[in-house]
Amino acid sequence: MIIIMGRDVTDEQIGTVVKRLETAGLKANISRGIERTVIGAIGDERQLNEEMFTPLPGVESAMHVTKQYKIVSRESHKQNTVIDIGGIPLGGNQIQIIAGPCSVETQSQMDLSAKYVHEAGCRMMRGGAFKPRTSPYAFQGHGEEGLQMFRQAAAGHNFPIVTELMDARQIDLFLKYDVDVIQIGTRNMQNFDLLKEVGRLNKPVILKRGMSATISEWLMAAEYIAAGGNHNIIFCERGIRTFETAYRNVLDVTAIAVMKKETHLPVIVDPSHAGGKAWMVPALSQAAIAAGADGLLVEMHPSPCDAWCDADQALTPDELKKLMVTLGAIAGAIGRTL
Ligand code: PEP
Ligand code: MN
């Protein structure tokens, strides 16, 4: 059972609900979000019914949720959640394309990238300062200096910035540079301690799907973040591992439809890490938007052949511009805007 409390709930009202749960022999998980506070019952729920809670002050509703994931499930919240990212809505009718290089390399590369992202008509920018690389000898990202370069480049266009957090010890830096959206990469999707830490922050989080994670594992990973009180979660499908070796990963388009049914939270797609080749990116992007994705996370580099990381899959500025025009047409055809 979950008990949903309104925006202006008081500690006393929460305490009354918790007490009632404890009297019934259960424990409570209090997830205090900005929009709503959700109290989850932990223990044998069979003896609970909604009427035990709905008359209590501050309670908006109480319900049995059959799914293991509660706060992120559409069962618990019917309408689409729209996440506000520095004034830009994600999850509503308008589709958001987040573009930028794989990694932050130099100030001029970031300044140029920001200019091209702006010219293509995108409203948010990506770029990695901490890079999870397969080889320990490959470029690992500039770290703090990278965040600094990213912030400076984005400031000129007022872009919210999206960048990957690999370790809880980096959180203070992310707060120092006021990172707008924290990306949790595919390799960390089930790093539960990291998920718990971002669950304590009041920052939107992009949770990438683990490359071998099932839909239910992905939803449960998000529930870890939500359980801590951070309800601003964006799911990102980025391709999964299969027997196929002709491309980097297999973009699971089916997951978009399933996730939109299972969760009220926004679902976006990363076509770049799915295909692994720039020439595949337009086709995968078009499929994703047509299938109902709320946005894309796309790699674009001012000069892809010079990219320090993921050179093969970066779009050129021109290719991004062209893609935006096509995506605009698809958005129109399905009653959305870009
Ligand atoms: C990235 O977006 O740069 C990245 C490393 O993605 P993933 O975690 O999906 O591999
Ligand atoms: Mn990359």
Side-chain angles (χ1 to χ4, degrees):
M1 160 124 1
I2 59 169
I3 299 109
I4 298 172
M5 317 288 289
R7 207 189 166 102
D8 303 317
V9 67
T10 64
D11 289 344
E12 197 188 343
Q13 290 168 342
I14 292 174
T16 310
V17 172
V18 172
K19 197 150 203 164
R20 187 148 293 192
L21 279 170
E22 286 174 353
T23 309
L26 286 91
K27 287 208 168 92
N29 176 79
I30 303 163
S31 170
R32 205 153 186 175
I34 299 294
E35 294 295 326
R36 54 183 192 149
T37 289
V38 182
I39 303 176
I42 302 169
D44 183 4
E45 289 187 22
R46 283 172 301 183
Q47 53 191 306
L48 302 181
N49 59 58
E50 291 156 22
E51 291 70 38
M52 288 167 73
F53 301 96
T54 40
L56 299 179
V59 173
E60 272 187 3
S61 57
M63 64 187 90
H64 279 291
V65 179
T66 50
K67 301 279 166 57
Q68 260 190 303
Y69 38 92
K70 314 270 178 206
I71 303 170
V72 307
S73 75
R74 202 178 272 284
E75 210 181 327
S76 76
H77 190 79
K78 301 281 175 264
Q79 317 89 304
N80 288 334
T81 287
V82 181
I83 297 183
D84 178 85
I85 303 171
I88 294 161
L90 180 52
N93 197 53
Q94 189 182 58
I95 290 161
Q96 303 299 346
I97 311 298
I98 307 164
C102 180
S103 66
V104 177
E105 298 166 7
T106 64
Q107 190 63 60
S108 63
Q109 170 247 14
M110 288 308 281
D111 291 345
L112 266 179
S113 297
K115 171 176 166 287
Y116 291 132
V117 168
H118 171 77
E119 283 176 7
C122 307
R123 302 175 198 90
M124 271 183 266
M125 191 171 168
R126 64 150 288 147
F130 295 91
K131 295 301 305 174
R133 303 303 302 277
T134 301
S135 165
Y137 308 117
F139 173 56
Q140 305 284 307
H142 285 306
E144 176 167 9
E145 205 192 335
L147 294 178
Q148 207 166 359
M149 288 191 255
F150 196 177
R151 251 289 150 243
Q152 188 175 320
H157 301 280
N158 263 331
F159 284 140
I161 64 172
V162 177
T163 195
E164 180 166 351
L165 175 77
M166 296 211 316
D167 190 300
R169 286 168 291 188
Q170 295 153 0
I171 287 177
D172 284 346
L173 273 182
F174 275 53
L175 296 177
K176 176 176 169 193
Y177 291 94
D178 198 20
V179 168
D180 300 279
V181 182
I182 295 173
Q183 179 177 322
I184 300 293
T186 190
R187 294 160 187 82
N188 270 319
M189 188 206 83
Q190 282 188 313
N191 182 341
F192 298 120
D193 284 338
L194 184 61
L195 300 179
K196 282 179 191 165
E197 289 299 323
V198 298
R200 292 145 62 106
L201 305 175
N202 177 27
K203 288 268 184 196
V205 177
I206 289 180
L207 180 65
K208 285 197 156 192
R209 180 180 183 180
M211 59 185 87
S212 301
T214 63
I215 298 274
S216 121
E217 286 165 343
W218 191 14
L219 287 157
M220 290 309 293
E223 191 74 16
Y224 265 90
I225 302 173
N230 188 349
H231 301 170
N232 301 309
I233 305 161
I234 300 142
F235 290 92
C236 180
E237 159 64 36
R238 48 77 72 201
I240 51 172
R241 280 271 169 95
T242 72
F243 54 85
E244 185 53 73
T245 54
Y247 23 87
R248 194 171 179 181
N249 292 285
V250 175
L251 178 66
D252 184 3
V253 177
T254 315
I256 304 166
V258 174
M259 291 295 282
K260 290 302 294 179
K261 179 170 175 291
E262 289 301 314
T263 177
H264 55 91
L265 294 163
V267 178
I268 66 170
V269 164
D270 172 348
S272 310
H273 291 85
K277 299 280 180 217
W279 65 264
M280 296 178 192
V281 169
L284 302 184
S285 303
Q286 292 160 29
I289 297 306
D294 296 302
L296 299 178
L297 185 69
V298 190
E299 290 189 347
M300 184 279 310
H301 192 282
S303 170
C305 55
D306 297 317
W308 296 9
C309 185
D310 286 349
D312 287 357
Q313 66 194 36
L315 294 180
T316 64
D318 244 18
E319 287 167 343
L320 177 64
K321 224 183 209 174
K322 281 201 196 102
L323 176 60
M324 288 294 282
V325 175
T326 316
L327 296 181
I330 296 175
I334 57 172
R336 297 183 80 164
T337 59
L338 187 73

